[in-house]
Coordinates of all heavy atoms in Angstrom, one line a residue:
M24 N 0.8 -1.2 0.0 CA 0.0 0.0 0.0 C 0.9 1.2 0.0 O 1.7 1.4 0.8 CB -0.9 0.0 1.3 CG -1.7 1.2 1.5 SD -2.7 1.1 3.0 CE -2.3 2.7 3.7
L25 N 0.7 2.1 -0.9 CA 1.4 3.4 -0.9 C 0.5 4.4 -0.3 O -0.7 4.3 -0.3 CB 1.7 3.8 -2.4 CG 2.7 3.0 -3.1 CD1 2.9 3.4 -4.5 CD2 4.0 3.0 -2.3
G26 N 1.1 5.4 0.3 CA 0.3 6.5 1.0 C 1.1 7.0 2.1 O 2.2 7.4 2.0
Y27 N 0.5 6.9 3.3 CA 1.1 7.5 4.5 C 2.4 6.7 4.8 O 2.4 5.7 5.4 CB 0.2 7.3 5.7 CG -1.1 7.9 5.6 CD1 -2.3 7.2 5.5 CD2 -1.3 9.3 5.8 CE1 -3.5 7.8 5.4 CE2 -2.5 9.9 5.7 CZ -3.6 9.1 5.6 OH -4.9 9.7 5.5
G28 N 3.5 7.2 4.4 CA 4.8 6.6 4.9 C 5.4 5.6 4.0 O 6.3 5.0 4.4
G29 N 4.8 5.3 2.9 CA 5.4 4.3 2.0 C 4.7 3.0 2.0 O 3.7 2.8 2.6
P30 N 5.3 2.0 1.2 CA 4.7 0.8 1.0 C 4.6 -0.2 2.2 O 3.7 -1.1 2.2 CB 5.6 0.1 -0.1 CG 6.9 0.8 0.1 CD 6.6 2.2 0.6
D31 N 5.3 0.0 3.2 CA 5.3 -0.9 4.3 C 4.5 -0.5 5.5 O 4.4 -1.2 6.5 CB 6.7 -1.2 4.8 CG 7.6 -1.9 3.8 OD1 7.0 -2.6 3.0 OD2 8.8 -1.7 3.8
I32 N 3.9 0.7 5.4 CA 3.1 1.2 6.6 C 1.6 1.1 6.2 O 1.1 1.6 5.3 CB 3.4 2.7 6.8 CG1 4.9 2.9 7.1 CG2 2.6 3.2 8.0 CD1 5.4 2.2 8.4
T33 N 0.9 0.3 7.0 CA -0.5 0.1 6.9 C -1.2 0.5 8.2 O -0.5 0.5 9.2 CB -0.9 -1.3 6.5 OG1 -0.5 -2.2 7.6 CG2 -0.2 -1.7 5.2
P34 N -2.5 0.8 8.2 CA -3.1 1.1 9.5 C -2.9 -0.1 10.5 O -2.7 0.2 11.7 CB -4.6 1.2 9.1 CG -4.6 1.6 7.7 CD -3.4 0.9 7.1
Q35 N -2.9 -1.3 10.1 CA -2.8 -2.4 11.0 C -1.4 -2.4 11.6 O -1.2 -2.6 12.8 CB -3.0 -3.8 10.3 CG -4.4 -4.0 9.8 CD -4.7 -3.2 8.5 OE1 -3.9 -2.8 7.8 NE2 -6.0 -3.0 8.3
K36 N -0.4 -2.2 10.8 CA 1.0 -2.1 11.3 C 1.2 -0.9 12.2 O 1.9 -1.0 13.2 CB 2.0 -2.1 10.1 CG 2.1 -3.4 9.4 CD 3.2 -3.3 8.4 CE 3.3 -4.7 7.6 NZ 4.3 -4.6 6.6
A37 N 0.6 0.2 11.9 CA 0.7 1.4 12.7 C 0.1 1.1 14.1 O 0.7 1.5 15.1 CB 0.0 2.6 12.1
D38 N -1.1 0.5 14.1 CA -1.7 0.2 15.4 C -0.9 -0.8 16.2 O -0.8 -0.7 17.4 CB -3.1 -0.4 15.2 CG -4.1 0.6 14.6 OD1 -3.8 1.8 14.7 OD2 -5.1 0.2 14.0
A39 N -0.3 -1.8 15.5 CA 0.5 -2.8 16.2 C 1.8 -2.2 16.8 O 2.3 -2.7 17.7 CB 0.8 -3.9 15.2
S40 N 2.2 -1.1 16.2 CA 3.5 -0.5 16.6 C 3.3 0.6 17.7 O 4.3 1.2 18.1 CB 4.2 0.1 15.4 OG 3.5 1.3 15.0
E41 N 2.1 0.8 18.2 CA 1.9 1.8 19.3 C 2.8 1.4 20.4 O 2.9 0.3 20.9 CB 0.4 1.8 19.7 CG 0.2 3.0 20.7 CD -1.3 3.2 20.9 OE1 -2.1 2.7 20.1 OE2 -1.6 4.0 21.8
R42 N 3.4 2.4 21.0 CA 4.4 2.2 22.0 C 3.7 2.0 23.4 O 2.6 2.4 23.6 CB 5.3 3.4 22.1 CG 6.1 3.5 20.8 CD 7.0 4.7 20.7 NE 7.1 5.6 21.9 CZ 7.6 6.8 21.9 NH1 8.0 7.3 20.7 NH2 7.7 7.5 23.0
Q43 N 4.4 1.3 24.2 CA 3.9 1.0 25.5 C 3.6 2.2 26.4 O 2.8 2.2 27.3 CB 4.8 0.0 26.3 CG 4.9 -1.3 25.6 CD 3.6 -2.1 25.6 OE1 2.9 -2.1 26.6 NE2 3.3 -2.7 24.5
D44 N 4.4 3.3 26.1 CA 4.2 4.5 26.9 C 3.0 5.3 26.5 O 2.8 6.4 27.1 CB 5.5 5.3 26.9 CG 5.8 5.8 25.5 OD1 5.0 5.7 24.6 OD2 6.9 6.4 25.4
G45 N 2.2 4.8 25.6 CA 1.0 5.5 25.2 C 1.2 6.6 24.1 O 0.3 7.3 23.7
A46 N 2.4 6.7 23.6 CA 2.7 7.7 22.6 C 1.9 7.4 21.3 O 1.7 6.2 21.0 CB 4.2 7.8 22.3
I47 N 1.4 8.4 20.7 CA 0.7 8.2 19.4 C 1.7 7.9 18.3 O 2.6 8.7 18.1 CB -0.1 9.4 19.0 CG1 -1.2 9.7 20.1 CG2 -0.9 9.2 17.7 CD1 -1.9 11.0 20.0
P48 N 1.5 6.8 17.6 CA 2.5 6.5 16.5 C 2.3 7.5 15.4 O 1.3 8.2 15.2 CB 2.1 5.1 16.0 CG 0.8 4.8 16.7 CD 0.5 5.8 17.7
W49 N 3.4 7.7 14.6 CA 3.4 8.6 13.5 C 2.2 8.5 12.6 O 1.6 9.5 12.2 CB 4.7 8.4 12.7 CG 4.8 9.4 11.6 CD1 5.4 10.6 11.6 CD2 4.4 9.2 10.2 NE1 5.3 11.2 10.4 CE2 4.7 10.3 9.5 CE3 3.8 8.1 9.6 CZ2 4.4 10.5 8.1 CZ3 3.5 8.2 8.2 CH2 3.8 9.4 7.5
F50 N 1.8 7.3 12.2 CA 0.7 7.1 11.3 C -0.6 7.7 11.8 O -1.3 8.4 11.1 CB 0.5 5.6 11.0 CG -0.6 5.3 10.1 CD1 -0.5 5.5 8.7 CD2 -1.9 5.0 10.6 CE1 -1.5 5.2 7.9 CE2 -2.9 4.8 9.7 CZ -2.8 4.9 8.3
E51 N -0.8 7.6 13.1 CA -2.0 8.1 13.7 C -2.0 9.7 13.7 O -3.0 10.3 13.4 CB -2.3 7.6 15.1 CG -2.7 6.2 15.1 CD -4.0 5.9 14.4 OE1 -4.9 6.6 14.6 OE2 -4.0 4.9 13.6
M52 N -0.8 10.2 14.0 CA -0.6 11.7 13.9 C -0.9 12.2 12.5 O -1.6 13.2 12.3 CB 0.8 12.1 14.4 CG 1.0 11.8 15.8 SD 2.7 12.0 16.3 CE 3.1 13.7 15.7
K53 N -0.4 11.5 11.5 CA -0.5 11.9 10.1 C -2.0 11.8 9.7 O -2.5 12.7 9.1 CB 0.3 11.0 9.3 CG 0.2 11.2 7.8 CD 1.1 12.4 7.4 CE 1.1 12.4 5.8 NZ 1.7 13.6 5.4
K54 N -2.7 10.7 10.1 CA -4.1 10.5 9.7 C -4.9 11.6 10.3 O -5.8 12.1 9.7 CB -4.5 9.1 10.2 CG -5.9 8.8 9.7 CD -6.2 7.3 10.0 CE -6.3 7.0 11.4 NZ -6.8 5.6 11.7
C55 N -4.7 12.0 11.6 CA -5.5 13.0 12.2 C -5.2 14.4 11.6 O -6.1 15.3 11.7 CB -5.1 13.1 13.7 SG -5.7 11.6 14.6
S56 N -4.1 14.6 11.0 CA -3.8 16.0 10.5 C -4.0 16.1 9.0 O -3.7 17.2 8.4 CB -2.4 16.3 10.9 OG -1.4 15.6 10.1
F57 N -4.5 15.1 8.4 CA -4.5 15.1 6.9 C -5.8 15.8 6.4 O -6.8 15.7 7.0 CB -4.6 13.6 6.4 CG -4.6 13.5 4.9 CD1 -3.5 13.7 4.1 CD2 -5.8 13.3 4.2 CE1 -3.5 13.7 2.8 CE2 -5.9 13.3 2.8 CZ -4.7 13.5 2.1
S58 N -5.6 16.5 5.3 CA -6.7 17.2 4.6 C -6.3 17.4 3.2 O -5.1 17.4 2.8 CB -7.1 18.5 5.2 OG -6.1 19.5 5.0
E59 N -7.2 17.5 2.3 CA -6.9 17.8 0.9 C -6.1 19.1 0.7 O -5.1 19.1 -0.1 CB -8.2 17.8 0.0 CG -7.9 17.9 -1.5 CD -7.1 16.8 -2.1 OE1 -7.1 15.7 -1.5 OE2 -6.4 17.1 -3.1
E60 N -6.4 20.1 1.5 CA -5.7 21.3 1.4 C -4.2 21.2 1.8 O -3.3 21.7 1.1 CB -6.4 22.4 2.3 CG -5.7 23.7 2.3 CD -6.3 24.7 3.3 OE1 -7.5 24.5 3.7 OE2 -5.6 25.6 3.7
R61 N -4.0 20.4 2.8 CA -2.6 20.2 3.3 C -1.9 19.3 2.3 O -0.7 19.5 2.0 CB -2.6 19.5 4.6 CG -2.9 20.5 5.7 CD -2.9 19.9 7.1 NE -3.1 20.9 8.1 CZ -3.3 20.7 9.4 NH1 -3.2 19.4 9.8 NH2 -3.5 21.6 10.2
R62 N -2.6 18.3 1.7 CA -1.9 17.5 0.7 C -1.4 18.4 -0.5 O -0.3 18.3 -1.0 CB -2.9 16.4 0.1 CG -2.2 15.4 -0.8 CD -3.2 14.6 -1.6 NE -3.9 15.4 -2.5 CZ -3.5 15.8 -3.7 NH1 -2.3 15.6 -4.1 NH2 -4.3 16.5 -4.5
R63 N -2.3 19.3 -0.9 CA -1.9 20.2 -2.0 C -0.7 21.1 -1.6 O 0.2 21.3 -2.4 CB -3.1 21.1 -2.5 CG -4.1 20.3 -3.3 CD -5.1 21.3 -4.0 NE -5.8 22.1 -3.0 CZ -7.0 21.8 -2.5 NH1 -7.6 20.6 -2.8 NH2 -7.6 22.6 -1.6
R64 N -0.8 21.6 -0.4 CA 0.3 22.4 0.1 C 1.6 21.6 0.1 O 2.7 22.1 -0.3 CB 0.0 23.0 1.5 CG 1.1 23.9 2.0 CD 0.8 24.7 3.2 NE 1.9 25.5 3.6 CZ 1.9 26.2 4.7 NH1 0.8 26.2 5.5 NH2 3.0 26.9 5.0
Y65 N 1.6 20.4 0.6 CA 2.8 19.6 0.7 C 3.3 19.3 -0.8 O 4.5 19.4 -1.0 CB 2.5 18.2 1.3 CG 2.3 18.2 2.8 CD1 1.7 17.2 3.4 CD2 2.7 19.3 3.6 CE1 1.5 17.2 4.8 CE2 2.5 19.3 5.0 CZ 1.9 18.3 5.6 OH 1.7 18.2 6.9
C66 N 2.4 19.1 -1.7 CA 2.8 18.8 -3.1 C 3.5 20.1 -3.6 O 4.5 20.0 -4.3 CB 1.6 18.5 -4.0 SG 1.0 16.8 -3.7
D67 N 2.9 21.3 -3.4 CA 3.5 22.5 -3.8 C 4.9 22.7 -3.2 O 5.9 23.1 -3.9 CB 2.6 23.7 -3.5 CG 1.3 23.8 -4.3 OD1 1.2 23.1 -5.3 OD2 0.4 24.5 -3.9
E68 N 5.0 22.4 -1.9 CA 6.3 22.6 -1.3 C 7.3 21.6 -1.8 O 8.5 21.9 -2.0 CB 6.1 22.4 0.2 CG 5.4 23.6 0.9 CD 5.1 23.4 2.3 OE1 5.0 22.2 2.8 OE2 4.9 24.4 3.0
H69 N 6.9 20.4 -2.1 CA 7.8 19.4 -2.7 C 8.3 19.8 -4.1 O 9.4 19.6 -4.5 CB 7.2 18.0 -2.7 CG 7.2 17.4 -1.3 ND1 6.1 16.8 -0.8 CD2 8.1 17.3 -0.3 CE1 6.3 16.3 0.4 NE2 7.6 16.6 0.7
Q70 N 7.3 20.4 -4.8 CA 7.7 20.9 -6.2 C 8.7 22.0 -6.1 O 9.6 22.1 -6.9 CB 6.4 21.4 -6.9 CG 6.7 21.7 -8.3 CD 7.2 20.6 -9.2 OE1 6.5 19.5 -9.2 NE2 8.3 20.7 -9.8
A71 N 8.6 22.9 -5.1 CA 9.5 24.0 -4.9 C 10.9 23.4 -4.6 O 11.9 23.9 -5.1 CB 9.1 24.9 -3.8
I72 N 11.0 22.4 -3.8 CA 12.3 21.7 -3.5 C 12.9 21.1 -4.8 O 14.0 21.4 -5.1 CB 12.1 20.6 -2.4 CG1 11.7 21.2 -1.1 CG2 13.4 19.8 -2.3 CD1 11.2 20.2 -0.1
L73 N 12.0 20.4 -5.5 CA 12.5 19.8 -6.8 C 13.0 20.9 -7.7 O 14.1 20.7 -8.4 CB 11.4 19.0 -7.4 CG 11.8 18.3 -8.7 CD1 12.9 17.3 -8.5 CD2 10.6 17.5 -9.2
D74 N 12.2 22.0 -7.9 CA 12.6 23.1 -8.8 C 14.0 23.6 -8.4 O 14.9 23.9 -9.3 CB 11.6 24.2 -8.7 CG 10.3 23.8 -9.4 OD1 10.2 22.8 -10.1 OD2 9.3 24.5 -9.1
C75 N 14.3 23.8 -7.1 CA 15.6 24.3 -6.6 C 16.7 23.3 -7.0 O 17.8 23.7 -7.4 CB 15.5 24.5 -5.1 SG 14.5 25.9 -4.6
L76 N 16.4 22.0 -6.8 CA 17.4 21.0 -7.1 C 17.7 20.9 -8.6 O 18.9 20.8 -9.0 CB 16.9 19.6 -6.6 CG 16.8 19.4 -5.1 CD1 16.1 18.1 -4.7 CD2 18.2 19.6 -4.4
V77 N 16.7 21.0 -9.4 CA 16.9 21.0 -10.9 C 17.7 22.2 -11.3 O 18.6 22.1 -12.2 CB 15.5 21.0 -11.6 CG1 15.7 21.3 -13.1 CG2 14.8 19.6 -11.4
R78 N 17.5 23.3 -10.6 CA 18.3 24.5 -10.9 C 19.7 24.5 -10.3 O 20.5 25.4 -10.5 CB 17.6 25.8 -10.5 CG 16.3 26.1 -11.2 CD 15.8 27.5 -10.9 NE 16.1 28.1 -9.7 CZ 15.3 28.2 -8.6 NH1 14.1 27.7 -8.7 NH2 15.6 28.8 -7.5
R79 N 19.9 23.4 -9.5 CA 21.2 23.3 -8.8 C 21.5 24.5 -8.0 O 22.6 25.1 -8.0 CB 22.4 23.0 -9.8 CG 22.2 21.7 -10.6 CD 23.4 21.5 -11.5 NE 23.2 20.3 -12.3 CZ 23.5 19.0 -11.9 NH1 24.0 18.8 -10.8 NH2 23.3 18.0 -12.7
A80 N 20.5 24.9 -7.2 CA 20.5 26.0 -6.3 C 20.5 25.5 -4.9 O 19.4 25.4 -4.3 CB 19.4 27.0 -6.6
P81 N 21.6 25.1 -4.3 CA 21.6 24.5 -3.0 C 21.0 25.3 -1.9 O 20.3 24.8 -1.0 CB 23.1 24.2 -2.7 CG 23.8 25.1 -3.6 CD 23.0 25.3 -4.8
E82 N 21.2 26.6 -1.8 CA 20.7 27.5 -0.8 C 19.1 27.5 -0.9 O 18.4 27.5 0.1 CB 21.3 28.9 -0.8 CG 21.0 29.7 0.4 CD 21.6 29.2 1.7 OE1 22.6 28.4 1.7 OE2 21.0 29.5 2.8
C83 N 18.7 27.6 -2.1 CA 17.2 27.6 -2.4 C 16.6 26.3 -1.9 O 15.6 26.3 -1.3 CB 17.0 27.8 -3.9 SG 15.3 27.7 -4.4
A84 N 17.3 25.2 -2.3 CA 16.8 23.9 -1.9 C 16.7 23.7 -0.4 O 15.8 23.2 0.2 CB 17.6 22.8 -2.5
K85 N 17.8 24.2 0.3 CA 17.9 24.1 1.7 C 16.7 24.9 2.3 O 16.0 24.4 3.2 CB 19.2 24.7 2.2 CG 19.3 24.9 3.7 CD 20.6 25.6 4.1 CE 20.5 26.1 5.5 NZ 21.6 27.0 5.9
N86 N 16.5 26.1 1.9 CA 15.4 26.9 2.4 C 14.0 26.3 2.1 O 13.1 26.4 3.0 CB 15.5 28.4 1.9 CG 16.7 29.1 2.4 OD1 17.2 28.8 3.5 ND2 17.2 30.1 1.6
A87 N 13.8 25.8 0.9 CA 12.6 25.1 0.6 C 12.3 23.9 1.5 O 11.2 23.7 1.9 CB 12.6 24.7 -0.9
M88 N 13.4 23.1 1.8 CA 13.2 22.0 2.6 C 12.9 22.4 4.1 O 12.1 21.8 4.7 CB 14.5 21.1 2.6 CG 14.7 20.3 1.3 SD 16.1 19.2 1.4 CE 17.2 20.1 0.4
L89 N 13.6 23.4 4.5 CA 13.3 23.9 5.9 C 11.9 24.4 6.0 O 11.2 24.2 7.0 CB 14.3 24.9 6.3 CG 15.8 24.4 6.5 CD1 16.7 25.6 6.8 CD2 15.8 23.5 7.7
A90 N 11.4 25.1 5.0 CA 10.1 25.6 5.0 C 9.1 24.4 5.0 O 8.1 24.5 5.8 CB 9.8 26.5 3.8
Q91 N 9.3 23.4 4.3 CA 8.4 22.2 4.2 C 8.4 21.5 5.6 O 7.4 21.1 6.1 CB 8.8 21.3 3.1 CG 7.7 20.4 2.6 CD 7.4 19.2 3.5 OE1 8.3 18.6 4.0 NE2 6.2 18.9 3.6
L92 N 9.6 21.3 6.2 CA 9.7 20.7 7.5 C 8.9 21.5 8.6 O 8.3 21.0 9.4 CB 11.1 20.5 7.9 CG 11.9 19.4 7.1 CD1 13.3 19.4 7.4 CD2 11.2 18.0 7.3
K93 N 9.0 22.8 8.5 CA 8.3 23.7 9.4 C 6.8 23.5 9.2 O 6.0 23.4 10.2 CB 8.7 25.2 9.2 CG 8.1 26.1 10.2 CD 8.6 25.8 11.6 CE 8.1 26.8 12.6 NZ 8.5 26.5 13.9
T94 N 6.3 23.4 8.0 CA 4.9 23.1 7.8 C 4.5 21.8 8.4 O 3.4 21.7 9.1 CB 4.6 23.1 6.3 OG1 4.9 24.4 5.7 CG2 3.2 22.7 6.0
V95 N 5.3 20.8 8.2 CA 5.0 19.5 8.8 C 5.0 19.6 10.3 O 4.1 19.0 11.0 CB 5.9 18.4 8.3 CG1 5.8 17.1 9.1 CG2 5.8 18.2 6.8
E96 N 5.9 20.2 10.9 CA 6.0 20.4 12.3 C 4.7 21.1 12.8 O 4.1 20.6 13.8 CB 7.2 21.2 12.7 CG 7.4 21.5 14.2 CD 8.6 22.3 14.5 OE1 8.8 23.4 13.9 OE2 9.3 21.9 15.4
Q97 N 4.3 22.1 12.2 CA 3.1 22.9 12.6 C 1.9 22.0 12.5 O 1.0 22.0 13.4 CB 2.9 24.1 11.8 CG 4.0 25.2 12.1 CD 3.9 26.3 11.1 OE1 3.4 26.2 10.0 NE2 4.5 27.4 11.5
N98 N 1.8 21.2 11.4 CA 0.6 20.4 11.2 C 0.5 19.2 12.1 O -0.6 18.8 12.5 CB 0.5 20.0 9.7 CG 0.2 21.1 8.8 OD1 -0.4 22.1 9.2 ND2 0.5 21.0 7.5
L99 N 1.6 18.6 12.3 CA 1.6 17.4 13.2 C 1.7 17.7 14.6 O 1.1 17.0 15.4 CB 2.8 16.4 12.7 CG 2.6 15.7 11.4 CD1 3.8 14.8 11.2 CD2 1.4 14.9 11.3
L100 N 2.6 18.6 15.0 CA 2.8 18.9 16.4 C 2.2 20.2 16.9 O 2.3 20.4 18.1 CB 4.4 18.9 16.6 CG 5.1 17.7 16.1 CD1 6.6 17.8 16.3 CD2 4.6 16.4 16.8
G101 N 1.7 21.0 16.1 CA 1.0 22.2 16.5 C 2.0 23.2 17.0 O 1.6 24.1 17.8
R102 N 3.2 23.2 16.6 CA 4.2 24.2 17.0 C 4.9 24.9 15.9 O 4.8 24.6 14.8 CB 5.2 23.7 18.0 CG 5.8 22.4 17.6 CD 6.8 21.9 18.6 NE 7.3 20.6 18.1 CZ 8.2 19.9 18.6 NH1 8.8 20.3 19.7 NH2 8.7 18.8 18.1

C-alpha cells in the first residue's frame, strides 16, 4: 500500500506499533492531521524543493526543505 509513509506502513502495522508508553504513532498523527488542502500544500512545497534541485541552487533547496519541514511540524505537532 502506498500512501502514509510508503509501501510498508498500513493502519494495521501502525496500530500494532503503538508504544507501551501511550505515545501516538506517526501514522495516527498523520491521519489526524490530513486534509486535501494540506496535501496540495505539501505537493507545492515538494515541487519547490525539486525546482531548486533541478536549478542546482543548494541554498534555495535548503530553504525550501526547511520551510516544508516547518509546515509538517506545525501540522503534526502544532508548534
Side-chain angles (χ1 to χ4, degrees):
M24 172 179 135
L25 291 176
Y27 302 107
D31 294 332
I32 302 296
T33 64
Q35 295 78 19
K36 287 183 181 180
D38 292 340
S40 69
E41 187 167 347
R42 295 175 10 194
Q43 294 298 319
D44 63 7
I47 299 172
W49 179 88
F50 179 80
E51 290 300 313
M52 290 171 56
K53 177 79 171 170
K54 187 168 66 171
C55 292
S56 70
F57 182 78
S58 72
E59 184 59 27
E60 179 183 339
R61 285 182 178 172
R62 186 195 68 78
R63 283 192 303 268
R64 182 171 179 184
Y65 289 163
C66 286
D67 290 345
E68 289 174 338
H69 287 132
Q70 186 62 55
I72 295 167
L73 181 59
D74 292 344
C75 294
L76 293 172
V77 167
R78 290 193 334 258
R79 297 183 185 272
E82 193 65 25
C83 175
K85 173 187 165 187
N86 291 335
M88 285 185 259
L89 290 173
Q91 204 282 321
L92 289 172
K93 185 65 176 172
T94 297
V95 171
E96 179 182 48
Q97 289 170 343
N98 289 339
L99 289 180
L100 305 176
R102 47 181 178 175

